[in-house]
């Protein structure tokens, strides 16, 4: 952003000269240096995963949904048409009609066995055990989180899950990346009913075979599972 600082200064001087009696104070400046773009920028993983989840919940006509740790922006919209319980290690300090925020650890979720019919967890389990969010260090964190999500699902229930897919590795302490087949093996108690993904170019590929994403470096896998 500092590369564009000269442009900012030039524009500030021009604006101040044109403003006349309108005060433009130096100390009140708030430089936004990187927004001069040809297209609206967005994070493809978060943009598409939220849209993917919303469309599936809209089709299902649910009355209640539980989410573990996903984007709060996504939850603020989902809760407009389905009562949403949002569980996070760092509880959300905000309230909206239809949104109930609950403090909880993904390794010890506050639900009994076989309790939930509709569950989501988007771009979350790849972080567990890396300490990034104040959680305890645990190399098996993602696997333990996967087992806990499976535990609380009831038979016939569905889980919408996303996480980075591609060449398997640990990018400490940001996240882990898994091959699609590894994700399916981790969720061994569930049946995969649909797989989509965001590819390395940021394009959404819907309803594909997991093998079609095997050559990715850093994509986003979108897995819809059902508990038999």
């Amino acid at each position: 952003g500092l590369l564009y600082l000269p442009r900012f200064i030039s524009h500030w001087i021009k604006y101040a000269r044109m403003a006349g009696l309108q005060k433009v104070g130096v100390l009140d400046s708030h430089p936004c240096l990187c927004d001069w773009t040809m297209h609206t920028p967005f994070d493809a993983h978060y943009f598409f995963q939220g849209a993917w989840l919303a469309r599936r919940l809209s089709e299902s006509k649910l009355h209640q949904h539980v989410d573990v740790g996903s984007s709060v922006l996504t939850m603020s919209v989902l809760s407009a048409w389905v009562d949403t319980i949002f569980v996070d290690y760092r509880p959300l300090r905000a309230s909206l009609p239809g949104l109930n925020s609950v403090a909880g650890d993904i390794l010890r979720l506050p639900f009994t066995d076989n309790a939930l019919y509709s569950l989501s967890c988007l771009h979350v389990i790849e972080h567990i055990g890396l300490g990034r969010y104040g959680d305890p260090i645990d190399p098996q964190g993602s696997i333990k989180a996967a087992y806990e999500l499976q535990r609380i699902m009831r038979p016939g229930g569905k889980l919408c899950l996303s996480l980075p897919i591609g060449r398997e590795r640990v990018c400490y302490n940001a996240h882990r990346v898994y091959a699609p087949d590894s994700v399916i093996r981790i969720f061994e108690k569930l049946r995969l009913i649909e797989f989509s993904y965001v590819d390395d170019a940021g394009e959404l590929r819907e309803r594909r075979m997991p093998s079609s994403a095997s050559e990715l470096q850093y994509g986003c896998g979108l897995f819809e599972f059902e508990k038999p």
Side-chain angles (χ1 to χ4, degrees), residues 101-122:
S101 180
V102 176
D105 185 341
I106 195 173
L107 301 181
R108 292 177 296 276
L109 289 167
F111 303 100
T112 60
D113 293 355
N114 305 312
L116 303 180
Y117 180 77
S118 183
L119 181 64
S120 60
C121 188
L122 306 183

Side-chain angles (χ1 to χ4, degrees), residues 77-148:
V77 176
L78 290 182
S79 63
W81 78 83
V82 57
D83 286 342
T84 302
I85 299 173
F86 175 67
V87 185
D88 199 282
Y89 191 72
R90 305 169 301 167
L92 174 66
R93 293 185 176 180
S95 60
L96 280 173
L99 180 62
N100 182 17
S101 180
V102 176
D105 185 341
I106 195 173
L107 301 181
R108 292 177 296 276
L109 289 167
F111 303 100
T112 60
D113 293 355
N114 305 312
L116 303 180
Y117 180 77
S118 183
L119 181 64
S120 60
C121 188
L122 306 183
H123 249 302
V124 175
I125 69 168
E126 70 271 16
H127 304 298
I128 308 305
L130 298 181
R132 175 176 172 179
Y133 297 105
D135 52 313
I137 301 297
D138 186 351
Q140 298 299 308
S142 292
I143 295 174
K144 292 178 180 179
Y147 288 163
E148 183 69 352

